[in-house]
Amino acid sequence: MTASRFNRLVPVNSALAEDSSTSGNGSANAFVTLTEEDDVKYRAPPPEIRDIVDAPPLPALSFSPLRDKILFLKRRSLPPLAELARPEEKLAGIRIDGKCNTRSRMSFYTGIGIHQLMPDGSLGPEKEVRGFPDGAKINFVSWSNDGNHLAFTVRFEEEESSSSKLRVWVADVETGTARPLFQSPDIYLNAVFDNYVWVDNSTLLVCTIPMSRGEPPKKPLVPSGPKIQSNEQKTVVQVRTFQDLLKDEYDEDLFDYYATSQLVLASLDGTVKEVGSPAVYTSMDPSPDEKYILISSIHRPYSFIVPCGRFPKKVDVWTADGKFVRELCDLPVAENIPIAFNSVRKGMRSINWRADKPSTLYWAETQDEGDAKVEVSPRDIIYTQPAEPLEGEQPEILHKLDLRYGGISWCDDSLALVYESWYKTRRTRTWVISPGSKDVSPRILFDRSSEDVYSDPGSPMLRRTPAGTYVIAKLRKENDNGTYVLLNGNGATPEGNIPFLDLFDINTGSKERIWESNKEKYYESVVALMSDQKEGNIHLNDLKILTSKESKTENTQYYIQSWPDRKSCQITDFPHPYPQLASLQKEMIRYQRKDGVQLTATLYLPPGYDPSKDGSLPCLVWSYPGEFKSKDAAGQVRGSPNQFAGIGPTSALLWLARRFAILSGPTIPIIGEGNEEANDRYVEQLVSSAEAAVEEVIRRGVAHPNKIAVGGHSYGAFMTANLLAHAPHLFSCGIARSGAYNRTLTPFGFQNEDRTLWEATNTYVEMSPFISANKIKKPILLIHGEEDNNPGTLTMQSDRFFNALKGHGALCRLVILPFESHGYAARESIMHVLWETDRWLQKHCMLNTSEVSPDIDSSKDGEGKEVTDSENKAVAAGGGVPFQVKVINVITFLSFGPGA
């Protein structure tokens, strides 16, 4: 682990010989203690957890355009750390694997199996795609529009734990035989942005690495001058804490080197043609009639304060054979997009082809200069125009919106649905328009709160066109001239989600429920329309849909249901991914906060648990706060008691195997009604919600009051630290992964907060557990990826929070995971995280003997009895404050330099 900044350890005897003074560089060496658990290796959790994580993953599925075949895309389990350790370039907000010329840390498929979907709904035998060498890593799998061919990329392992560059392959679906698309072995894919696209059934447009590209630019040993940023024009520029930005001219050159592509038209017959000049192409989108291509690119001057998504952007129309037609826009760098939610870039945005027309463009343009704080009507205008307009032909106004434009679902000239929304009010509206009839006035179809899940009418189901686009599916009934669409909804109710499919008359608003999930035992949902092979309206009696079905104990399987007899045929039979937990117990519970807000959570109990015989259990509460504009919305039930318990590699549900009760996702609503900002009462509402959850699991007798731990990831880690600071009477310990703890380090907004530090100073300070580090007396485990790229959660946040805790004698531990980002990927890292978490829970929750009271009146805010464990404390050589630091080679933080 020589690439880690923690590659050198200080022996404990030399550490204890140091002066214990905290002056100088603030080193913690004098306070380090080693135990037998603190060796220099990655650790693994107990077998009952490890076996679940190591279970082979299920394949991903992909249906053919004609819905007659299914791909089983096979996957491997967790990648080794060596893959994450490969060099990567951090440029313009993205991370690039220079060896492969792709985004770094890409997962991949290990194989492709083709199954015929038989007339009776069953699957035929698997036909494996073959022709590429064993060990190939497969990415970017796509069907040709006629379903006769597959395209995908292949790379191979090379020496020194690196992968080769990507090459495009094609496979004949009928035979399963694959071959390279390019006969030349020197044509490689550039997958930093877009990669390739089918232009027609026999031609692909591919982003390739320019053949003339030489070696990467070398960083000058001596810079040509200082790094300077200037705002002498006094422009107001507020940006969030973006990471991996360009830093200097060398970074700009390196970004150009890896991101620049040469577009190549390649036919299945071997014909190859370069089109256009090399540039940083970011997207390629053929028109439905295959005559034009919408080409987007970014160009200099670049920015050092925003990521590449805000660089100058050029959008052009080309012919399908690569000839330039016209420029649609060339937008300047967007450094000054306001931080207020619903603020957007000035100029043309969301430029797309109409899905129901051969080659008609549409886009939106803001009328408020992109600033959500500006009051103006209309706020957005939607325009439309042919790919090649007649001379002097101006864009046509399609629709005007007073909220922020959110997209269009196209059907035909008589029907399209336009969406708009506004975050501050949570208002969302759906308009019905007739794109081909100017004399038909637009009308509002739905006008509701996005938070009100009970009123959600569902979304229109889309059918695939022969051109490969998706349009709203129209249905017809026998002897009925109505215009019907299918609305697919989650069906949120006070008893949980009951998904549905409604036949909806777009003109009258009347609806008929033609399908609904089983309410008693199963959770079913509509995944896709399967009867869209033919153009035109679908007769109700010919309707065919793909559904999923699962229960608390049965994993998801897929079915095809056909009308009119509603016959259901199961097409998958995936094994249970963790049979050892097949009989786990799951219940959605409801309880009330002291201010009357109704709360929900999912309570999981171990297989075979009987409270009358087994008594109360240690309990892990794992959650993530959410913001709401009303108490009623916050109290609505989301999710279903019948959904299968999906357990990811770092899931809290893994501790069911260790006989813990798990309270998963208890509602932690932070409510700001009217003009009130939710975060102004963040701590008060956070504590109140946690108290209600803890009181409920204790009342049920499933959780021991002295053995309740709390944990979370990212904003959930922030929540965890705040709860230990302000509600120590509730929890025995905490686990905080990849969090941010000092909101003054994210001064231009965070999460759902769009006020600046200077506009809401008290809120920023009061919400920051870093400021309350002196109040945290319960054991807290901090875990963070060393290469966290998430805006706001820099690794430094955990570093400094740990320093603050340590400086006040808190029982704490910091684990830094080399090469890991915001989420953890490598098997070694994940296993070690689980080991650390399990160790912490066993020591400070399962074996906890200190008194913890759920009664808020019995403990003052910020106070609580400290868990005592003499073997885990070290006293400074000079008789200083007791605290704990664990040393685990490159993983656990050892010492801090100046300014940490």
Side-chain angles (χ1 to χ4, degrees):
M1 304 310 166
T2 55
S4 171
R5 58 192 171 125
F6 307 128
N7 59 324
R8 297 200 305 178
L9 299 179
V10 179
V12 66
N13 54 353
S14 79
L16 294 175
E18 296 285 337
D19 182 2
S20 63
S21 170
T22 57
S23 61
N25 68 1
S27 171
N29 289 347
F31 304 101
V32 174
T33 182
L34 289 169
T35 73
E36 62 182 9
E37 295 171 327
D38 286 328
D39 60 17
V40 292
K41 299 176 182 177
Y42 283 94
R43 305 296 291 268
E48 54 263 46
I49 290 178
R50 186 172 65 244
D51 292 347
I52 296 173
V53 177
D54 277 339
L58 298 176
L61 303 185
S62 174
F63 285 81
S64 69
L66 299 181
R67 307 294 192 251
D68 61 342
K69 296 179 179 67
I70 307 177
L71 298 184
F72 277 53
L73 303 172
K74 300 166 186 180
R75 299 182 280 193
R76 61 163 185 182
S77 53
L78 300 173
L81 187 64
E83 289 193 10
L84 272 65
R86 293 171 180 162
E88 60 182 359
E89 303 293 344
K90 302 172 184 177
L91 301 167
I94 61 176
R95 295 180 175 181
I96 299 171
D97 183 332
K99 183 73 174 179
C100 300
N101 223 105
T102 67
R103 298 292 178 95
S104 61
R105 306 167 184 240
M106 282 202 315
S107 59
F108 56 88
Y109 301 115
T110 58
I112 304 174
I114 305 173
H115 291 265
Q116 186 77 30
L117 190 59
M118 309 306 287
D120 63 358
S122 62
L123 290 185
E126 181 176 274
K127 181 192 306 172
E128 189 171 358
V129 175
R130 62 191 184 279
F132 46 81
D134 293 339
K137 299 178 178 181
I138 301 167
N139 288 99
F140 308 122
V141 182
S142 69
W143 294 87
S144 61
N145 283 337
D146 60 9
N148 291 331
H149 290 89
L150 295 173
F152 51 92
T153 65
V154 168
R155 56 192 163 113
F156 307 98
E157 281 292 325
E158 291 186 343
E159 295 179 358
E160 299 178 359
S161 298
S162 65
S163 285
S164 64
K165 292 181 174 62
L166 278 69
R167 298 190 67 194
V168 182
W169 284 57
V170 290
D172 184 293
V173 173
E174 197 61 38
T175 65
T177 303
R179 61 177 175 83
L181 174 65
F182 298 107
Q183 294 179 3
S184 169
D186 299 322
I187 301 179
Y188 295 105
L189 186 76
N190 186 337
V192 170
F193 288 106
D194 210 347
N195 41 76
Y196 71 86
V197 64
W198 289 93
V199 176
D200 56 40
N201 290 323
S202 61
T203 308
L204 296 93
L205 181 63
V206 184
C207 286
T208 68
I209 298 173
M211 298 282 282
S212 60
R213 190 180 79 172
E215 293 297 314
K218 293 184 178 180
K219 187 168 186 175
L221 294 177
V222 178
S224 59
K227 298 176 183 178
I228 298 173
Q229 296 187 52
S230 175
N231 191 32
E232 296 180 37
Q233 295 80 24
K234 299 183 179 179
T235 306
V236 176
V237 178
Q238 300 179 348
V239 295
R240 292 206 172 187
T241 47
F242 299 118
Q243 299 199 50
D244 300 339
L245 301 177
L246 299 178
K247 299 181 290 296
D248 50 33
E249 292 181 5
Y250 167 73
D251 275 1
E252 291 181 305
D253 293 341
L254 202 59
F255 176 75
D256 276 339
Y257 177 83
Y258 288 115
T260 297
S261 294
Q262 172 64 62
L263 297 186
V264 172
L265 282 169
S267 297
L268 297 183
D269 63 8
T271 305
V272 174
K273 174 187 173 184
E274 290 188 353
V275 293
S277 302
V280 183
Y281 296 106
T282 55
S283 69
M284 310 169 294
D285 185 14
S287 61
D289 64 1
E290 302 175 349
K291 291 182 179 179
Y292 301 95
I293 306 173
L294 194 62
I295 300 288
S296 298
S297 59
I298 56 179
H299 60 82
R300 298 193 184 214
Y302 297 145
S303 171
F304 294 159
I305 65 172
V306 293
C308 56
R310 296 192 183 185
F311 286 179
K313 179 181 179 180
K314 189 169 179 283
V315 183
D316 296 330
V317 176
W318 293 6
T319 61
D321 60 356
K323 293 183 175 64
F324 175 83
V325 176
R326 67 181 177 119
E327 178 186 291
L328 292 177
C329 65
D330 192 349
L331 305 176
V333 65
E335 290 183 334
N336 59 347
I337 298 176
I339 61 173
F341 287 104
N342 289 123
S343 294
V344 295
R345 190 174 195 157
K346 300 176 188 177
M348 298 172 68
R349 71 181 198 279
S350 302
I351 306 172
N352 291 292
W353 298 107
R354 272 187 62 168
D356 62 327
K357 288 291 184 181
S359 52
T360 299
L361 294 160
Y362 70 100
W363 66 89
E365 292 188 36
T366 179
Q367 307 300 300
D368 57 12
E369 295 296 304
D371 189 348
K373 292 184 178 180
V374 173
E375 296 296 333
V376 65
S377 178
R379 189 172 291 277
D380 273 336
I381 296 179
I382 306 167
Y383 295 93
T384 183
Q385 192 178 44
E388 288 193 82
L390 300 175
E391 186 175 351
E393 183 180 359
Q394 296 300 309
E396 178 184 336
I397 294 178
L398 182 68
H399 193 46
K400 297 180 179 180
L401 300 169
D402 284 336
L403 307 181
R404 188 62 79 205
Y405 167 70
I408 300 179
S409 293
W410 298 97
C411 183
D412 52 33
D413 271 340
S414 68
L415 174 64
L417 300 181
V418 182
Y419 309 101
E420 63 173 340
S421 63
W422 198 248
Y423 177 77
K424 278 292 185 183
T425 60
R426 307 301 198 271
R427 189 179 186 185
T428 178
R429 295 196 295 199
T430 302
W431 291 83
V432 177
I433 65 170
S434 297
S437 304
K438 294 183 179 180
D439 55 339
V440 178
S441 299
R443 61 185 175 88
I444 293 177
L445 183 64
F446 305 121
D447 188 349
R448 47 182 292 274
S449 168
S450 60
E451 290 184 338
D452 182 10
V453 294
Y454 292 170
S455 70
D456 188 350
S459 301
M461 293 209 69
L462 306 180
R463 67 172 180 85
R464 194 181 192 277
T465 69
T469 63
Y470 285 84
V471 299
I472 297 173
K474 277 186 176 180
L475 267 75
R476 56 188 173 89
K477 297 166 67 176
E478 203 70 45
N479 302 319
D480 190 330
N481 294 324
T483 301
Y484 295 97
V485 299
L486 291 169
L487 294 182
N488 180 16
N490 290 326
T493 73
E495 289 72 45
N497 288 358
I498 305 174
F500 63 83
L501 193 62
D502 282 349
L503 192 63
F504 182 76
D505 190 318
I506 202 74
N507 295 317
T508 67
S510 64
K511 55 187 175 182
E512 173 190 352
R513 187 143 299 179
I514 62 171
W515 178 90
E516 188 175 67
S517 172
N518 179 295
K519 303 177 185 178
E520 304 305 320
K521 179 182 178 182
Y522 291 101
Y523 177 81
E524 301 169 286
S525 63
V526 177
V527 179
L529 196 62
M530 298 294 286
S531 50
D532 57 355
Q533 299 93 333
K534 299 178 182 179
E535 287 197 85
N537 298 351
I538 301 170
H539 195 285
L540 181 59
N541 287 341
D542 295 328
L543 182 64
K544 189 182 293 184
I545 59 175
L546 177 70
T547 63
S548 64
K549 184 177 181 180
E550 61 197 86
S551 73
K552 297 176 185 179
T553 57
E554 299 171 55
N555 53 305
T556 304
Q557 306 293 351
Y558 292 94
Y559 296 74
I560 290 180
Q561 292 202 14
S562 304
W563 269 252
D565 56 5
R566 300 284 300 277
K567 179 184 176 183
S568 180
C569 181
Q570 182 174 342
I571 62 172
T572 62
D573 188 19
F574 297 130
H576 198 294
Y578 20 89
Q580 57 271 61
L581 292 180
S583 59
L584 62 81
Q585 302 173 50
K586 175 186 176 181
E587 179 184 0
M588 288 187 71
I589 62 174
R590 302 207 70 186
Y591 50 97
Q592 185 171 295
R593 205 164 74 176
K594 63 183 179 183
D595 61 359
V597 177
Q598 291 292 319
L599 305 178
T600 60
T602 305
L603 177 63
Y604 294 90
L605 298 170
Y609 170 72
D610 183 343
S612 63
K613 297 179 180 178
D614 302 329
S616 57
L617 299 172
C619 178
L620 174 58
V621 178
W622 198 271
S623 193
Y624 192 97
E627 290 187 6
F628 296 88
K629 291 297 292 182
S630 73
K631 293 180 179 179
D632 288 343
Q636 291 183 351
V637 177
R638 292 163 174 82
S640 167
N642 295 327
Q643 282 180 286
F644 181 68
I647 302 180
T650 58
S651 171
L653 300 186
L654 290 166
W655 275 270
L656 290 168
R658 299 284 277 166
R659 307 298 292 176
F660 270 69
I662 308 296
L663 193 66
S664 177
T667 311
I668 307 288
I670 310 300
I671 304 166
E673 294 187 301
N675 294 323
E676 178 189 35
E677 294 289 344
N679 284 338
D680 289 345
R681 294 196 301 119
Y682 173 86
V683 171
E684 171 194 338
Q685 296 190 67
L686 180 70
V687 172
S688 181
S689 298
E691 286 175 343
V694 168
E695 288 170 1
E696 178 65 16
V697 292
I698 292 175
R699 183 192 68 79
R700 288 171 170 263
V702 298
H704 192 291
N706 297 339
K707 298 180 180 182
I708 302 176
V710 62
H713 185 93
S714 195
Y715 207 52
F718 176 72
M719 169 205 75
T720 297
N722 265 308
L723 285 173
L724 293 188
H726 302 290
H729 55 291
L730 297 177
F731 302 105
S732 62
C733 65
I735 298 146
R737 300 177 185 167
S738 298
Y741 309 101
N742 185 350
R743 299 276 55 132
T744 68
L745 297 178
T746 55
F748 290 108
F750 58 90
Q751 200 68 6
N752 294 319
E753 178 61 69
D754 62 0
R755 295 172 295 174
T756 70
L757 168 63
W758 299 272
E759 293 170 328
T761 305
N762 289 341
T763 297
Y764 272 67
V765 171
E766 290 169 4
M767 287 182 70
S768 298
F770 178 85
I771 305 298
S772 301
N774 61 318
K775 296 180 179 180
I776 296 179
K777 307 300 181 184
K778 294 297 176 66
I780 182 169
L781 172 63
L782 304 174
I783 301 176
H784 217 120
E786 189 176 18
E787 304 294 338
D788 193 331
N789 65 344
N790 185 55
T793 56
L794 292 81
T795 308
M796 172 187 67
Q797 287 270 6
S798 286
D799 289 346
R800 293 189 173 180
F801 187 42
F802 179 65
N803 253 350
L805 292 167
K806 193 172 55 174
H808 290 89
L811 200 167
C812 54
R813 181 177 175 96
L814 173 63
V815 178
I816 300 294
L817 302 169
F819 308 115
E820 294 290 352
S821 186
H822 190 60
Y824 317 138
R827 183 180 185 277
E828 294 92 330
S829 302
I830 287 173
M831 290 299 179
H832 191 88
V833 166
L834 300 176
W835 178 81
E836 291 278 0
T837 304
D838 187 68
R839 171 188 174 276
W840 206 252
L841 290 173
Q842 296 297 321
K843 181 171 289 188
H844 303 297
C845 182
M846 175 74 83
L847 302 179
N848 180 48
T849 57
S850 65
E851 294 295 323
V852 181
S853 170
D855 184 359
I856 191 170
D857 295 327
S858 68
S859 178
K860 295 181 180 179
D861 182 41
E863 297 178 359
K865 293 186 178 181
E866 183 179 353
V867 179
T868 58
D869 189 344
S870 59
E871 74 168 354
N872 290 306
K873 290 185 179 179
V875 180
V881 181
F883 69 96
Q884 178 195 35
V885 180
K886 294 295 183 182
V887 182
I888 304 182
N889 194 25
V890 299
I891 303 168
T892 300
F893 202 102
L894 178 63
S895 63
F896 302 84

